[in-house]
Amino acid sequence: MTHQSTISSIDLSGSWQLSSSDGEIRSAITLPGDVHTALARANLIPDPYFGRNEEVVQWVAHRDWVIERSFNLPEAEGDWYLDIDYLDTIAEIHVNDRLALSADNAFRRYRPDVSNLLKAGENKIRIVLHSSIAEGAARQKKQPFYIPYHPGNSPIPDGNMLRKPQCHFGWDWNIAIAPLGLYGTIALRKLETARIEHVLTRQTHNADGSVELQVTATLFAKDPGIAQLHFDLDGERVRLDVGVNAGETNVNHVFEIGNPRLWWPSGSGEQALYALTVELGAESVTKQIGLRTIELITTPDEAGSRFAFKVNGREIFCRGANWIPADALFSLSSPEKTEDLLASAKAANMNMIRVWGGGFYEHDWFYDICDRLGLMVWQDFMFACNLYPSTDDFLDNVAAEVDYQVRRLSSHASIALWCGDNELVGALNWFEESRKDRDRYIVSYDRLNRTIEQAVKRAMPGATWWPSSPASGYLDFGDAWHADGSGDMHYWSVWHENKSFDNYRSVRPRFCSEFGFQSYTSLPVIKTYADAKDMNVASPVMELHQKNAGGNERIAGTMFRYFRFPKDFPNFVYLSQIQQGLAIKTAVEYWRSLKPHCMGTIYWQLNDTWPVASWSSLDYGGRWKAMHYLVKRFFQPVAVAAIPSEDGKSIRFSLVNDTLADVSVDLSISILTMKGERRHLKNVQAMCGPDAACTAATLDMSEIPAGTLLAWHFTASNGMGGEGHYVHGTYKALELEPAGLTVTHEYVEANGSVDINVTARGLALFVMIETDTDGKYSDNAFDLAAGESRRITFTPAKPLEKGKLPEFRFYDLHSCQSAD
């Protein structure tokens, strides 16, 4: 007689049927996934990212949608529950036409009991997704007083009423189509004695170097019983038989690690990880654990108070960028694409990512990748640039969300900080309602902020908490956009107030967690959404793919300030990217030179959610813009930069050393003429202690003849090196001469890459290589003097047809602005 094992879990992801609530529109949908992508794949709507299709697909979010499928359950006896997360957002779930769940928070996990709704044989499950636009409007009407939202960011109103990614309602870089769907788990599970609800860990680092890892498994049971648990840490396995009560029971076990391998941020040591598994019957939860301590140092000093991260007892200068969702439409993202974006952050010498508060708490695999890559995560709670309700129902929903997210994520080694929100303190000044009645709105904000803080500290006592970004300090509601003495700063005067790049040197942030400058997305990406007739910066298509009011004018106006105007559209795109890189370079080089006064620069922003003009250094799809190649240089742990004095009479060479060892540097300083001749000025040897910034040399401006550039290259004792140039004045004042670039290509059969040799006859500034074939370059946006060559390797994203070379385009500053 064969014994058939009973089913204890059914994964319901995969193919479902999608229809509009009136039944008029029908198609297939894959879960996890979103409604817009399903409709586009079925040719029921056009590609939302192409041309002006954003305007054509906005009706989708005004409708209600139904997603359904059936599944077979051989036996229906026992306790069954649905396991659901990332349900976006206002939804009901029906099993066999009976209500199983009403949900209204995309950031919570739901586990409703459905035992009494199931039957043996075929069962139906139906998800009804309601229009978040209609629900937002209805909830706004029910508020005791009006709660303003930022119309510049959110052309779709009242998104602040809902616990849903705020950038779904638009943003000054995002498409405004209010997507909806289910982006995580959807499964039916049987509750044998108990289930694992959460696994939390806490570390105690002892004076003798040993570590105690306390593991807390939270179990949920319907009825009292005995559960058999296994805890496993890298092969050390323990079995516990525990009594469980109805509801939640915590089970603790402590692992003692006598000689631990510590986890360090990228560039400061290894990313040692231990595998922790908790098993309960057929269910197991695995987490990768990094042993480390992280503290936020905010001690008072002469300038105000510090803002520095200390990992394993050592202060770490944070070099990084802000992260926004990997795609505006979830179905178009993937763990592989996300890993590519984060790997590009690490490759550009970053050690921190800020998960910004207008998107998602990311999936576990996002933080697993950050753990492996050594990218510390500054984690915002998901509130951004709006005001929010403070009614009991809203705050209760938030408290449940925070409790779940902190328990889910706090064991990740990469999590460095929990931050209450993005720019909500500043938002109190942005709306007429809150300016007129500041007391009411500040009390409302404080209720929300305290709800988040208390929920964090209940879920994870000892969690590193910061109330808001930017903030000058705890319960400090000052202007952290312009005051730089303490806390973290968002510095936007150069972009939003149209100040010159030099203005970055007028502030001395303790930690700058947002600052940015826009460029156009690269020409190969523009070709994916614009026809040839639209390749004009003022065309309606290009304007639709620029979401920041006045953004195109600012890019062009800044170009007039610094450069001669480019000769055509491709060169306009190229020069916008060079200009963007120079802006951020100006800020980072100065702020790094202030170390340890400044201990972090996190620019806005790493990535794009769709093809758009923006502040990102990576294009939609993951290609490196010109700026990302510059980032790799100016974020290098040992770096040299030329910084002019305030009076403009001298220039100092700043040497920064973020490593743990003394570094000596050989610095060669020269003058470059417009013909590309290099005239040697001086050699300097400089030393810099561990984790410090110093001045390697100072020059008088008079040593730089008119019409020439200051240039340098350096090599450091640890093998790092680099080069750069400095223009006294503007690039438009230079009488540049033709660069005379010559190029040879070579297909390298072994790894399918292409070697490109570039030689200059004259002065070639910001040489940029581009092709429509997707891939990455070993270097780009580099300079060559007369007679110099550079060998660049292009590695295609997909193997090339054997021996078939891509078509490469070459840009440089002279040819960009000269018709000859």
Side-chain angles (χ1 to χ4, degrees):
M1 166 180 161
T2 57
H3 177 73
Q4 196 174 355
S5 64
T6 55
I7 292 173
S8 62
S9 177
I10 299 177
D11 182 358
L12 295 171
S13 63
S15 188
W16 292 57
Q17 282 303 304
L18 170 69
S19 60
S20 54
S21 57
D22 56 14
E24 275 177 30
I25 302 163
R26 293 185 174 278
S27 98
I29 184 171
T30 301
L31 293 186
D34 68 85
V35 171
H36 287 78
T37 303
L39 295 173
R41 285 175 179 163
N43 295 318
L44 293 167
I45 59 168
D47 172 4
Y49 296 173
F50 187 83
R52 295 170 66 187
N53 288 346
E54 174 183 5
E55 298 162 342
V56 181
V57 304
Q58 284 180 319
W59 63 269
V60 173
H62 288 272
R63 305 281 289 265
D64 290 358
W65 296 91
V66 178
I67 305 174
E68 51 199 335
R69 65 164 284 176
S70 58
F71 61 90
N72 195 52
L73 189 63
E75 294 173 20
E77 288 79 41
D79 293 323
W80 293 88
Y81 65 96
L82 286 173
D83 198 0
I84 299 161
D85 60 8
Y86 291 95
L87 177 56
D88 181 15
T89 289
I90 305 299
E92 281 116 34
I93 298 188
H94 302 263
V95 174
N96 295 325
D97 298 323
R98 289 155 72 198
L99 183 67
L101 173 71
S102 284
D104 69 346
N105 189 328
F107 309 130
R108 286 173 65 179
R109 179 182 63 191
Y110 294 102
R111 290 182 156 183
D113 185 330
V114 292
S115 311
N116 59 353
L117 308 182
L118 297 168
K119 57 187 185 192
E122 192 178 49
N123 291 260
K124 282 192 306 185
I125 180 167
R126 184 169 85 249
I127 304 170
V128 181
L129 295 171
H130 294 285
S131 165
S132 55
I133 300 175
E135 183 67 20
R139 291 195 177 191
Q140 181 69 269
K141 286 196 179 84
K142 289 182 188 157
Q143 291 301 316
F145 53 92
Y146 181 71
I147 310 292
Y149 64 92
H150 192 310
N153 284 333
S154 306
I156 300 173
D158 300 320
N160 56 334
M161 295 292 106
L162 304 179
R163 298 310 301 135
K164 169 178 173 62
Q166 298 295 278
C167 66
H168 279 180
F169 300 92
W171 218 260
D172 55 5
W173 38 260
N174 200 29
I175 187 169
I177 54 177
L180 61 172
L182 187 151
Y183 318 135
T185 307
I186 173 101
L188 177 71
R189 306 197 198 283
K190 191 172 190 178
L191 184 63
E192 312 290 4
T193 313
R195 69 176 181 234
I196 301 171
E197 209 73 326
H198 303 284
V199 174
L200 265 92
T201 61
R202 296 195 62 185
Q203 303 178 17
T204 307
H205 290 248
N206 300 315
D208 65 1
S210 66
V211 175
E212 289 158 26
L213 182 73
Q214 179 182 324
V215 183
T216 302
T218 302
L219 308 184
F220 173 84
K222 254 182 150 176
D223 304 300
I226 302 287
Q228 189 183 96
L229 265 179
H230 286 95
F231 291 88
D232 188 305
L233 185 71
D234 264 11
E236 184 189 330
R237 194 169 167 82
V238 179
R239 173 181 151 174
L240 295 175
D241 294 323
V242 294
V244 292
N245 302 315
E248 288 193 355
T249 302
N250 286 333
V251 182
N252 295 303
H253 178 71
V254 178
F255 288 99
E256 313 237 353
I257 303 138
N259 194 10
R261 292 175 304 129
L262 295 183
W263 182 92
W264 289 95
S266 179
S268 298
E270 70 162 327
Q271 287 76 56
L273 292 167
Y274 292 75
L276 170 70
T277 305
V278 179
E279 287 170 35
L280 176 68
E283 183 185 11
S284 76
V285 172
T286 299
K287 291 186 180 271
Q288 55 184 21
I289 303 296
L291 301 175
R292 51 78 177 138
T293 59
I294 296 189
E295 307 162 70
L296 177 63
I297 308 300
T298 55
T299 46
D301 63 8
E302 285 166 25
S305 58
R306 303 204 63 214
F307 193 100
F309 287 91
K310 192 183 251 192
V311 181
N312 301 328
R314 196 164 87 224
E315 287 193 13
I316 304 275
F317 188 98
C318 298
R319 306 179 301 262
N322 283 267
W323 171 268
I324 58 176
D327 206 291
L329 292 170
F330 176 80
S331 299
L332 303 181
S333 67
S334 70
E336 295 71 32
K337 289 177 183 176
T338 295
E339 179 142 20
D340 180 62
L341 296 169
L342 292 170
S344 287
K346 182 187 174 99
N349 293 305
M350 294 188 205
N351 60 15
M352 180 175 265
I353 289 290
R354 175 175 173 236
V355 177
W356 166 80
F360 284 102
Y361 307 91
E362 293 290 338
H363 283 71
D364 272 295
W365 45 257
F366 174 94
Y367 303 91
D368 285 338
I369 294 166
C370 292
D371 295 340
R372 288 202 309 274
L373 294 177
L375 293 170
M376 293 180 281
V377 174
W378 169 314
Q379 178 67 51
D380 279 2
F381 287 95
M382 292 299 125
F383 302 88
C385 300
N386 294 315
L387 302 186
Y388 289 88
S390 56
T391 50
D392 288 349
D393 59 337
F394 188 86
L395 296 182
D396 289 348
N397 201 357
V398 167
E401 161 193 327
V402 171
D403 180 76
Y404 166 63
Q405 295 294 349
V406 173
R407 288 172 188 247
R408 178 174 76 95
L409 297 175
S410 60
S411 292
H412 284 281
S414 51
I415 297 268
L417 184 73
W418 295 97
C419 174
D421 62 68
N422 175 76
E423 298 192 351
L424 264 55
V425 174
L428 290 163
N429 301 320
W430 298 345
F431 309 106
E432 195 186 351
E433 295 88 350
S434 52
R435 284 196 299 268
K436 275 187 181 163
D437 196 353
R438 187 171 166 88
D439 287 356
R440 162 183 270 180
Y441 286 94
I442 209 163
V443 167
S444 181
Y445 166 75
D446 190 54
R447 279 185 183 170
L448 172 65
N449 196 250
R450 283 178 67 80
T451 297
I452 299 167
E453 180 183 9
Q454 287 166 354
V456 170
K457 292 184 171 170
R458 272 196 305 274
M460 189 66 191
T464 308
W465 161 259
W466 187 245
S468 178
S469 185
S472 297
Y474 196 68
L475 289 179
D476 184 330
F477 296 99
D479 175 9
W481 280 260
H482 299 93
D484 58 1
S486 58
D488 75 311
M489 185 178 203
H490 290 187
Y491 195 66
W492 280 105
S493 297
V494 172
W495 175 258
H496 285 304
E497 297 170 34
N498 209 18
K499 302 272 176 74
S500 71
F501 295 173
D502 295 335
N503 179 262
Y504 282 124
R505 292 191 285 264
S506 70
V507 288
R508 297 166 58 86
R510 310 316 301 262
F511 192 109
C512 200
S513 46
E514 267 192 33
F515 57 103
F517 202 89
Q518 268 203 2
S519 68
Y520 292 103
T521 190
S522 306
L523 194 62
V525 181
I526 292 173
K527 288 178 179 176
T528 68
Y529 69 80
D531 293 322
K533 67 179 173 53
D534 302 314
M535 300 281 182
N536 182 306
V537 72
S539 76
V541 166
M542 288 301 290
E543 288 190 335
L544 189 79
H545 289 250
Q546 162 61 275
K547 294 302 186 183
N548 185 237
N552 289 347
E553 293 94 317
R554 184 135 323 128
I555 291 172
T558 304
M559 233 176 245
F560 273 125
R561 184 184 276 164
Y562 292 109
F563 297 99
R564 300 185 189 190
F565 218 60
K567 63 188 178 190
D568 58 16
F569 181 73
N571 280 287
F572 190 76
V573 171
Y574 154 76
L575 194 54
S576 81
Q577 292 198 3
I578 298 301
Q579 167 173 285
Q580 175 194 31
L582 290 175
I584 301 309
K585 176 176 180 280
T586 304
V588 170
E589 289 183 337
Y590 178 62
W591 295 340
R592 283 188 77 189
S593 80
L594 302 177
K595 179 181 173 170
H597 172 91
C598 175
M599 283 303 288
T601 56
I602 309 292
Y603 67 81
W604 187 269
Q605 73 217 50
L606 180 68
N607 57 308
D608 273 333
T609 55
W610 72 306
V612 65
S614 84
W615 299 266
S616 71
S617 61
L618 296 175
D619 275 321
Y620 177 68
R623 294 168 189 250
W624 291 25
K625 287 185 180 176
M627 171 166 140
H628 208 79
Y629 292 96
L630 272 65
V631 171
K632 184 179 178 180
R633 288 172 220 154
F634 63 62
F635 269 172
Q636 189 173 252
V638 176
V640 171
I643 298 173
S645 59
E646 228 170 300
D647 62 9
K649 290 182 177 166
S650 65
I651 194 152
R652 70 180 168 96
F653 284 89
S654 154
L655 167 58
V656 180
N657 174 18
D658 284 352
T659 74
L660 282 189
D662 284 334
V663 162
S664 63
V665 165
D666 290 320
L667 175 63
S668 171
I669 303 171
S670 55
I671 296 296
L672 275 176
T673 70
M674 292 302 97
K675 292 198 181 315
E677 298 157 350
R678 217 181 258 282
R679 295 184 193 155
H680 184 68
L681 257 186
K682 60 169 76 172
N683 289 327
V684 175
Q685 273 204 318
M687 284 282 296
C688 193
D691 204 25
C694 58
T695 298
T698 305
L699 284 185
D700 209 270
M701 282 297 187
S702 61
E703 294 181 67
I704 310 169
T708 66
L709 300 179
L710 181 64
W712 66 92
H713 62 85
F714 77 94
T715 52
S717 51
N718 66 355
M720 290 180 192
E723 59 186 37
H725 73 251
Y726 175 80
V727 175
H728 185 38
T730 60
Y731 287 93
K732 69 181 178 184
L734 299 174
E735 295 297 345
L736 292 172
E737 297 182 28
L741 293 180
T742 54
V743 178
T744 60
H745 312 84
E746 215 176 300
Y747 176 69
V748 182
E749 245 175 273
N751 58 4
S753 62
V754 180
D755 277 353
I756 305 164
N757 289 297
V758 188
T759 306
R761 240 191 357 261
L763 176 62
L765 297 178
F766 305 119
V767 176
M768 187 83 188
I769 312 170
E770 179 180 88
T771 175
D772 292 349
T773 305
D774 196 7
K776 294 194 170 82
Y777 302 85
S778 56
D779 197 10
N780 223 334
F782 53 87
D783 300 337
L784 294 172
E788 292 179 351
S789 294
R790 186 73 61 94
R791 189 185 184 91
I792 303 295
T793 301
F794 172 73
T795 308
K798 296 190 189 89
L800 300 169
E801 268 183 65
K802 193 169 166 62
K804 196 172 176 194
L805 286 174
E807 224 173 282
F808 292 102
R809 293 183 287 276
F810 296 84
Y811 300 89
D812 71 86
L813 191 55
H814 174 266
S815 66
C816 149
Q817 52 197 21
S818 158
D820 57 65

